[in-house]
């Protein structure tokens, strides 16, 4: 259906990405490579100027904590390098060791904080986007996508001794909010989840069918926005 003033255009209403396609090839036996390739394709597809502006908050926080850890570790090493052992011998137990322990504790604290942030706050989130459109009023959209790999599973039927093996699948969860009046008036809110086997998007040599994957992602986003039903499983 054509977009209404309160429903901005979804990804399927836009033309495909222009220009030549980058060839993406992975190891089909590595679910990590398969998932990373799909995650990168999600970011590349949705962060188009006509769609959403990507929010890099989670990446920035992790980078800041990582760099702080590096600076603390580097400062500790530099102190040990600059101060000669003979000169520092009288105070090595009273100052240097305590400073080193304190720096080490700071390093461990920063590393632990980074791990906790990645696990509890960022979690499986791969894309956070925002878009503002104007049609008689300013409409703000926020979208969050999380992904994970559903591993290989097997199931057997009571009628037949043979078992059915389900290949690894890419699972995508979406949360969508559309509002206006500086987020004071909620226009729409949606959640959806879909999954598909990696074999649907990668050939036997590990080559990615970007068009098929983007079409599938577009359906998931359209369903979250209130459009057509997504292909949840295949």
């Amino acid at each position: 259906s054509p977009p209404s003033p309160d429903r901005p255009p979804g990804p399927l209403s836009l033309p495909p990405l222009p220009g030549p396609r980058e060839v993406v090839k992975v190891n089909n036996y590595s679910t990590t490579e398969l998932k990373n390739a799909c995650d990168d394709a999600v970011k590349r597809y949705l962060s188009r100027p006509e769609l959403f502006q990507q929010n890099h908050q989670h990446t920035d926080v992790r980078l800041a904590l990582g760099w702080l850890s590096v600076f603390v570790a580097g400062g500790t090493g530099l102190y040990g390098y600059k101060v000669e052992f003979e000169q520092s011998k009288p105070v090595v137990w009273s100052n240097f060791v305590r400073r080193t322990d304190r720096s080490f504790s700071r390093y461990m604290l920063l590393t632990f904080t980074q791990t906790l942030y990645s696990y509890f706050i960022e979690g499986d989130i791969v894309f956070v986007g925002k878009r503002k459109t104007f049609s008689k009023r300013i409409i703000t959209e926020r979208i969050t996508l999380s992904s994970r790999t559903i591993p290989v599973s097997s199931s057997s039927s009571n009628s037949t001794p043979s078992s059915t093996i389900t290949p690894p699948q890419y699972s995508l969860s979406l949360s969508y909010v559309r509002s206006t009046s500086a987020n004071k008036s909620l226009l729409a809110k949606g959640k959806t989840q879909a999954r598909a086997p990696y074999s649907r998007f990668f050939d036997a040599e590990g080559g990615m069918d970007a068009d098929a994957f983007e079409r599938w992602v577009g359906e998931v986003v359209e369903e979250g926005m209130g459009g057509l039903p997504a292909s949840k499983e295949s």
Side-chain angles (χ1 to χ4, degrees):
S1 60
S4 66
D6 285 343
R7 188 190 185 283
L12 295 182
S13 63
L14 301 176
L17 287 170
R21 290 282 188 176
E22 178 185 357
V23 178
V24 178
K25 196 169 185 179
V26 300
N27 179 6
N28 275 335
Y29 296 99
S30 172
T31 55
T32 300
E33 290 189 23
L34 290 167
K35 181 181 181 300
N36 289 340
C38 291
D39 289 346
D40 291 341
V42 168
K43 299 172 189 176
R44 185 169 55 250
Y45 178 58
L46 295 180
S47 60
R48 301 163 61 179
E50 306 90 344
L51 289 176
F52 301 96
Q53 181 180 4
Q54 186 174 1
N55 186 329
H56 299 279
Q57 174 185 338
H58 295 308
T59 303
D60 293 340
V61 170
R62 285 191 289 105
L63 284 176
L65 292 172
W67 277 111
L68 282 174
S69 302
V70 171
F71 289 148
V72 169
T76 303
L78 183 63
Y79 179 84
Y81 176 79
K82 290 291 186 180
V83 179
E84 296 182 3
F85 178 73
E86 292 297 331
Q87 293 178 348
S88 63
K89 185 184 284 187
V91 294
V92 66
W93 296 107
S94 60
N95 286 331
F96 180 70
V97 172
R98 288 202 298 269
R99 291 182 184 180
T100 303
D101 290 342
R102 189 158 53 246
S103 298
F104 180 74
S105 298
R106 290 171 181 167
Y107 174 80
M108 292 299 294
L109 177 61
L110 288 169
T111 303
F112 187 61
T113 302
Q114 184 184 33
T115 302
L116 290 178
Y117 183 90
S118 299
Y119 186 80
F120 289 104
I121 299 179
E122 182 178 14
D124 297 327
I125 294 175
V126 294
F127 183 84
V128 178
K130 182 179 179 181
R131 175 172 66 168
K132 286 188 176 183
T133 54
F134 181 78
S135 179
K136 297 183 180 179
R137 54 181 174 175
I138 298 176
I139 297 175
T140 302
E141 298 168 278
R142 289 177 176 83
I143 188 170
T144 302
L145 289 97
S146 304
S147 71
R148 65 186 181 94
T149 293
I150 300 177
V152 177
S153 62
S154 60
S155 60
S156 58
S157 174
N158 294 329
S159 58
T160 58
S162 60
S163 60
T164 302
I165 298 178
T166 302
Q169 300 181 76
Y170 184 72
S171 176
L172 196 62
S173 302
L174 178 144
S175 175
Y176 174 80
V177 175
R178 184 165 68 244
S179 61
T180 186
S181 301
N183 302 325
K184 296 179 181 178
S185 177
L186 180 66
L187 298 177
K189 187 176 182 180
K191 284 187 176 182
T192 188
Q193 184 176 7
R195 61 184 181 180
Y198 286 110
S199 57
R200 177 177 173 181
F201 311 119
F202 295 88
D203 59 26
E205 287 74 33
M208 185 178 192
D209 186 346
D211 291 330
F213 182 77
E214 290 172 359
R215 173 73 186 183
W216 180 74
V217 173
E219 291 177 358
V220 176
V221 175
E222 292 275 0
E223 183 185 22
M225 295 176 63
L228 57 88
S231 303
K232 294 194 174 183
E233 292 188 36
S234 61

